[in-house]
Amino acid sequence: FFFQAEDGIRDTSVTGVQTCALPIFWDTTTQAAASTTTAYTITLNSADANNNGVSVVSSSRITLANTGVYSLQISIQLANADTSVHDATVWLRKNGSDVSNSASLITVPAKHGTSNGEIIAAWNYVMSLTAGDYVEFVWNATDTNLSIQTIAAATTPTRPQSPSVIATATQLTQIGIGYAGLTSTSSVTIGTGSKTDRKSTRLNSSHRCISYA
């Protein structure tokens, strides 16, 4: 279910795709909305063991170790325990401030019989972020019967637990030619032209992420 790609190209001189940090996080709790007038940060309590370059601080702050352009993706499993439909709003914060035009409204189906109304919603944001920046996903509900729900593993047939939240923060791939031992202002010949390269602080002979300016 989870995808973890190779972190960096491990050769001394290669042509092709340069892949950087691809961290994955999720949450195994049910997150309630105790008030309809409060914005709640969406928490993440679990992380893939191979995560690199991104971490979760203070339960909700997805914190970047490297400067770059990131694809931020989240899916949440909303549940409604009421017999009327209700709405939830989800949006993005950067370094504690709401990001303009990032909010989305989701209508969650009503409870039917003994089963809660449920819906999975997903978003993708692309942002330029600086090392040390953090982002958070935030939500609000129009009724306290709404929650972000984890569904337990089940049997007959056997099926795994469904986390309440899954989030990724992928540093976008840069296309180009990687060379070991270049300084941050080096220029190298590529075909009949040249490009000035800009390397991450993690550049070395076996592990690097290079983008061209």
Side-chain angles (χ1 to χ4, degrees):
F1 184 81
F2 296 125
F3 173 74
Q4 183 76 36
E6 177 70 10
D7 183 51
I9 291 176
R10 304 181 187 278
D11 198 356
T12 57
S13 180
V14 299
T15 300
V17 175
Q18 314 277 328
T19 304
C20 301
L22 294 175
I24 301 165
F25 307 94
W26 62 97
D27 192 74
T28 58
T29 68
T30 291
Q31 304 182 35
S35 170
T36 60
T37 60
T38 300
Y40 296 95
T41 53
I42 295 174
T43 57
L44 298 158
N45 69 0
S46 302
D48 189 277
N50 296 313
N51 282 355
N52 184 29
V54 184
S55 60
V56 170
V57 178
S58 301
S59 300
S60 64
R61 297 179 176 182
I62 301 173
T63 305
L64 292 309
N66 302 296
T67 297
V69 178
Y70 286 82
S71 173
L72 309 170
Q73 300 187 53
I74 186 172
S75 66
I76 64 174
Q77 190 157 246
L78 289 159
N80 182 6
D82 193 27
T83 54
S84 298
V85 299
H86 296 293
D87 296 331
T89 303
V90 176
W91 66 97
L92 187 66
R93 282 181 181 166
K94 175 185 175 183
N95 297 332
S97 298
D98 294 340
V99 175
S100 299
N101 303 309
S102 66
S104 295
L105 180 72
I106 310 99
T107 297
V108 186
K111 182 176 182 178
H112 43 285
T114 59
S115 299
N116 288 339
E118 294 172 343
I119 191 170
I120 292 178
W123 298 265
N124 181 203
Y125 304 90
V126 176
M127 297 183 69
S128 293
L129 297 166
T130 301
D133 282 348
Y134 69 88
V135 296
E136 297 172 287
F137 297 101
V138 187
W139 79 297
N140 167 257
T142 59
D143 191 273
T144 56
N145 280 293
L146 292 188
S147 63
I148 303 175
Q149 185 180 55
T150 290
I151 298 176
T155 58
T156 318
T158 300
R159 48 199 187 274
Q161 176 176 263
S162 179
S164 56
V165 183
I166 298 172
T168 64
T170 304
Q171 189 173 354
L172 293 183
T173 299
Q174 303 295 321
I175 305 300
I177 299 177
Y179 292 88
L182 297 177
T183 67
S184 61
T185 57
S186 296
S187 182
V188 294
T189 299
I190 303 173
T192 58
S194 64
K195 296 276 188 179
T196 299
D197 77 340
R198 181 177 64 254
K199 289 166 287 301
S200 75
T201 56
R202 296 188 297 150
L203 176 64
N204 57 49
S205 60
S206 64
H207 188 148
R208 57 199 172 278
C209 300
I210 299 176
S211 62
Y212 289 108

mmCIF file of all heavy atoms in Angstrom, residues 9 26 47 73 125 146 176 179:
data_model
loop_
_atom_site.group_PDB
_atom_site.id
_atom_site.type_symbol
_atom_site.label_atom_id
_atom_site.label_comp_id
_atom_site.label_asym_id
_atom_site.label_seq_id
_atom_site.Cartn_x
_atom_site.Cartn_y
_atom_site.Cartn_z
ATOM 1 N N ILE A 9 20.555 8.946 -6.221
ATOM 2 C CA ILE A 9 21.180 8.070 -7.198
ATOM 3 C C ILE A 9 22.545 7.662 -6.674
ATOM 4 O O ILE A 9 23.321 8.495 -6.233
ATOM 5 C CB ILE A 9 21.302 8.781 -8.561
ATOM 6 C CG1 ILE A 9 19.894 8.960 -9.132
ATOM 7 C CG2 ILE A 9 22.177 8.012 -9.520
ATOM 8 C CD1 ILE A 9 19.863 9.730 -10.411
ATOM 9 N N TRP A 26 1.169 8.304 8.883
ATOM 10 C CA TRP A 26 -0.249 7.983 9.012
ATOM 11 C C TRP A 26 -0.654 8.073 10.484
ATOM 12 O O TRP A 26 0.189 8.258 11.373
ATOM 13 C CB TRP A 26 -0.570 6.611 8.423
ATOM 14 C CG TRP A 26 0.106 5.428 9.054
ATOM 15 C CD1 TRP A 26 -0.402 4.585 10.003
ATOM 16 C CD2 TRP A 26 1.416 4.929 8.765
ATOM 17 N NE1 TRP A 26 0.496 3.606 10.322
ATOM 18 C CE2 TRP A 26 1.621 3.791 9.570
ATOM 19 C CE3 TRP A 26 2.439 5.329 7.903
ATOM 20 C CZ2 TRP A 26 2.811 3.056 9.548
ATOM 21 C CZ3 TRP A 26 3.624 4.596 7.875
ATOM 22 C CH2 TRP A 26 3.793 3.480 8.683
ATOM 23 N N ALA A 47 5.082 6.556 11.365
ATOM 24 C CA ALA A 47 5.942 6.920 10.242
ATOM 25 C C ALA A 47 6.626 5.684 9.691
ATOM 26 O O ALA A 47 6.939 4.748 10.430
ATOM 27 C CB ALA A 47 6.989 7.940 10.686
ATOM 28 N N GLN A 73 0.626 15.456 0.017
ATOM 29 C CA GLN A 73 -0.618 14.736 -0.219
ATOM 30 C C GLN A 73 -1.169 14.203 1.089
ATOM 31 O O GLN A 73 -0.419 13.777 1.967
ATOM 32 C CB GLN A 73 -0.390 13.575 -1.187
ATOM 33 C CG GLN A 73 0.130 14.025 -2.545
ATOM 34 C CD GLN A 73 0.185 12.889 -3.543
ATOM 35 O OE1 GLN A 73 -0.799 12.200 -3.770
ATOM 36 N NE2 GLN A 73 1.354 12.685 -4.137
ATOM 37 N N TYR A 125 -1.148 19.237 -2.647
ATOM 38 C CA TYR A 125 -0.652 20.607 -2.737
ATOM 39 C C TYR A 125 0.809 20.559 -3.199
ATOM 40 O O TYR A 125 1.551 19.656 -2.807
ATOM 41 C CB TYR A 125 -0.692 21.305 -1.373
ATOM 42 C CG TYR A 125 -2.041 21.342 -0.699
ATOM 43 C CD1 TYR A 125 -2.434 20.310 0.162
ATOM 44 C CD2 TYR A 125 -2.914 22.398 -0.884
ATOM 45 C CE1 TYR A 125 -3.674 20.344 0.803
ATOM 46 C CE2 TYR A 125 -4.138 22.447 -0.248
ATOM 47 C CZ TYR A 125 -4.517 21.415 0.600
ATOM 48 O OH TYR A 125 -5.731 21.450 1.238
ATOM 49 N N LEU A 146 -19.180 14.429 13.540
ATOM 50 C CA LEU A 146 -18.154 14.102 12.551
ATOM 51 C C LEU A 146 -16.834 13.756 13.245
ATOM 52 O O LEU A 146 -16.495 14.331 14.278
ATOM 53 C CB LEU A 146 -17.923 15.265 11.592
ATOM 54 C CG LEU A 146 -19.045 15.637 10.628
ATOM 55 C CD1 LEU A 146 -18.532 16.672 9.630
ATOM 56 C CD2 LEU A 146 -19.584 14.429 9.897
ATOM 57 N N GLY A 176 18.120 15.654 -14.830
ATOM 58 C CA GLY A 176 19.394 16.224 -15.247
ATOM 59 C C GLY A 176 20.511 15.214 -15.165
ATOM 60 O O GLY A 176 20.279 14.018 -15.097
ATOM 61 N N TYR A 179 26.867 14.776 -11.267
ATOM 62 C CA TYR A 179 28.315 14.594 -11.246
ATOM 63 C C TYR A 179 28.795 14.757 -9.816
ATOM 64 O O TYR A 179 28.403 15.686 -9.123
ATOM 65 C CB TYR A 179 29.018 15.633 -12.130
ATOM 66 C CG TYR A 179 28.758 15.454 -13.604
ATOM 67 C CD1 TYR A 179 27.654 16.045 -14.211
ATOM 68 C CD2 TYR A 179 29.599 14.666 -14.380
ATOM 69 C CE1 TYR A 179 27.408 15.872 -15.561
ATOM 70 C CE2 TYR A 179 29.357 14.489 -15.726
ATOM 71 C CZ TYR A 179 28.266 15.096 -16.318
ATOM 72 O OH TYR A 179 28.019 14.918 -17.650
#
